[in-house]
Amino acid sequence: MSSTEELRHTALDALHRSLGATMTDFAGWDMPLRYGSERDEHNAVRTKAGLFDLSHMGEITVTGPQAGALLNFALVGDLAAVGVGRARYTMICGADGGILDDLIVYRLAEAEFMVVANASNAQVVLDALVERSAGFDAEVRDDRDAYALIAVQGPESPGILASLSPRVSTSLDPGGAPIADLDGLKYYAGLPGTVAGVPALIARTGYTGEDGFELFVKPEHAVELWQALTKAGEGVGLVPCGLSCRDTLRLEAGMPLYGHELSTALTPFDAGLGRVVKFGKEGDFVGREALAAAASRAQEQPPRVLVGLVAEGRRVPRAGYAVVAGGAVIGEVTSGAPSPTLGRPIAMAYVDAAHAAPGTPGVGVDIRGAHEPYEVVALPFYKRHK
């Protein structure tokens, strides 16, 4: 973003400031980094619940008789096979197979999908979808200003949401049937309804490694919903959370972040996420040929593998630091931070396949010229108890 451009503000901006949030520029948005201690916010999500403003994410609506066919052509997944009320993690790639962004796509109706892109890539994704829509009986609509997005994450989040009498629209009751049991709302479900009387798309999704919900609402309803969730969570330890703890939460959960574990220089197969590419779906899709070649290469000669690294000491690795073994560079750190849950610094890194097995001896990270010892572990670092 150039210095002449002003930061964008979410509908909750004044509320964040009233709570004493430390704000930061994130992909052109002025977002809360933390409200107090990021460690306390992180631990609250792991043990109780946290409340996040994610309104910087980019919503793009695709509608029309061929909406599913368009998304199957434009993205690597089989979105036409997703049932109404369900969501899928997928990617959009260039013709060369490079990852333009990772996405969550919700099927809201037979002929309506919502694509949620990362804030930094939302315009790229929008432009690509518009370009790829040529010849399809489908419309691509920029809905980034139509939504605020609030997430409640953590083991107490189902109880908090349940206390606000959530209702979902069904074919039998379009006005909104009460959700008798939130356990019936499956992971990666997304259904229109109401929460505390506020119209919302209720999605059981998140980026923290915990159970939780993401609630898409009109911007004018954001403050009302945030306040209702805050009040409902008063007795169970709900706290407002910023982007800083969201990053350490997703890192512990082994979840990739675009610009770190994912980029245009990598295909999904390079990132160990080849499973999201569905070659068996009907019709062609952008990047198919390049991705087939990447899949073949990955079988013949495994690329660098994304692994977890746990520090034996206290020094924190950062993105871009070299991973070393036997005096040679064998990889590169993509994300690193102190882990509040493990009590030690951790990192994700791409390393040569020969050094990727958990427990591989002699692996370290070059931190300002010193080779700090690290243990290679399987991802994720943290997995919640079901």
Side-chain angles (χ1 to χ4, degrees):
M1 192 182 75
S2 72
S3 58
T4 57
E5 290 181 80
E6 287 190 14
L7 290 176
R8 299 185 69 184
H9 298 93
T10 78
L12 294 161
D13 183 75
L15 191 150
H16 297 317
R17 293 172 193 281
S18 74
L19 293 172
T22 299
M23 307 296 286
T24 189
D25 175 359
F26 186 84
W29 290 82
D30 204 12
M31 298 297 296
L33 184 65
R34 69 181 72 84
Y35 297 84
S37 159
E38 55 200 56
R39 178 179 291 270
D40 289 348
E41 292 171 23
H42 178 111
N43 289 334
V45 175
R46 285 279 178 258
T47 61
K48 297 168 185 174
L51 193 58
F52 297 83
D53 179 8
L54 306 179
S55 303
H56 59 305
M57 301 294 283
E59 296 86 4
I60 301 162
T61 303
V62 181
T63 58
Q66 291 189 301
L70 161 58
L71 290 174
N72 270 16
F73 172 71
L75 311 180
V76 301
D78 187 357
L79 285 309
V82 176
V84 174
R86 300 293 293 170
R88 182 154 300 170
Y89 176 78
T90 187
M91 294 182 182
I92 182 168
C93 291
D96 64 354
I99 303 167
L100 301 181
D101 200 14
D102 63 334
L103 313 162
I104 293 181
V105 178
Y106 299 87
R107 189 167 201 162
L108 306 182
E110 195 61 35
E112 182 179 3
F113 296 78
M114 183 170 71
V115 178
V116 181
N118 286 296
S120 57
N121 295 327
Q123 191 64 48
V124 169
V125 174
L126 176 66
D127 292 345
L129 288 175
V130 169
E131 181 183 338
R132 296 174 189 187
S133 69
F136 289 92
D137 186 4
E139 177 192 352
V140 177
R141 186 174 72 237
D142 181 1
D143 270 347
R144 285 176 288 179
D145 293 334
Y147 291 101
L149 175 56
I150 296 172
V152 55
Q153 300 278 303
E156 297 288 350
S157 58
I160 292 168
L161 198 67
S163 73
L164 295 175
S165 305
R167 304 171 73 90
V168 293
S169 301
T170 66
S171 56
L172 296 175
D173 186 356
I179 304 178
D181 181 3
L182 276 175
D183 287 341
L185 188 67
K186 296 177 181 176
Y187 188 52
Y188 266 66
L191 298 165
T194 61
V195 178
V198 172
L201 172 67
I202 305 167
R204 197 162 203 161
T205 47
Y207 194 52
T208 62
E210 297 297 338
D211 192 9
F213 303 86
E214 295 182 318
L215 307 169
F216 297 83
V217 299
K218 291 182 178 179
E220 56 265 34
H221 294 150
V223 170
E224 177 187 351
L225 181 58
W226 179 283
Q227 290 174 337
L229 288 162
T230 298
K231 190 170 186 347
E234 279 177 352
V236 293
L238 175 78
V239 301
C241 294
L243 294 179
S244 184
C245 84
R246 189 167 182 252
D247 190 51
T248 52
L249 289 160
R250 70 92 195 167
L251 175 56
E252 288 184 349
M255 294 176 165
L257 175 64
Y258 196 89
H260 289 256
E261 289 71 42
L262 309 174
S263 73
T264 54
L266 298 171
T267 72
F269 295 95
D270 297 322
L273 292 166
R275 65 182 181 277
V276 305
V277 182
K278 304 301 182 186
F279 291 114
K281 64 180 174 177
E282 189 177 336
D284 196 12
F285 62 93
V286 176
R288 182 184 193 117
E289 190 175 329
L291 289 168
S296 179
R297 284 196 306 273
Q299 284 187 326
E300 293 170 11
Q301 182 178 0
R304 281 186 166 178
V305 179
L306 188 64
V307 301
L309 298 174
V310 177
E312 295 182 15
R314 309 303 302 175
R315 300 187 73 184
V316 179
R318 299 297 182 189
Y321 285 12
V323 183
V324 294
V329 174
I330 60 158
E332 184 176 303
V333 172
T334 54
S335 297
S339 166
T341 304
L342 275 64
R344 289 193 286 170
I346 59 172
M348 287 198 281
Y350 283 109
V351 302
D352 295 342
H355 295 85
T360 298
V363 173
V365 176
D366 187 337
I367 301 180
R368 298 190 181 91
H371 289 187
E372 299 289 331
Y374 272 74
E375 179 188 0
V376 180
V377 300
L379 292 169
F381 301 97
Y382 167 85
K383 190 175 289 187
R384 73 181 173 94
H385 300 294
K386 300 289 184 183

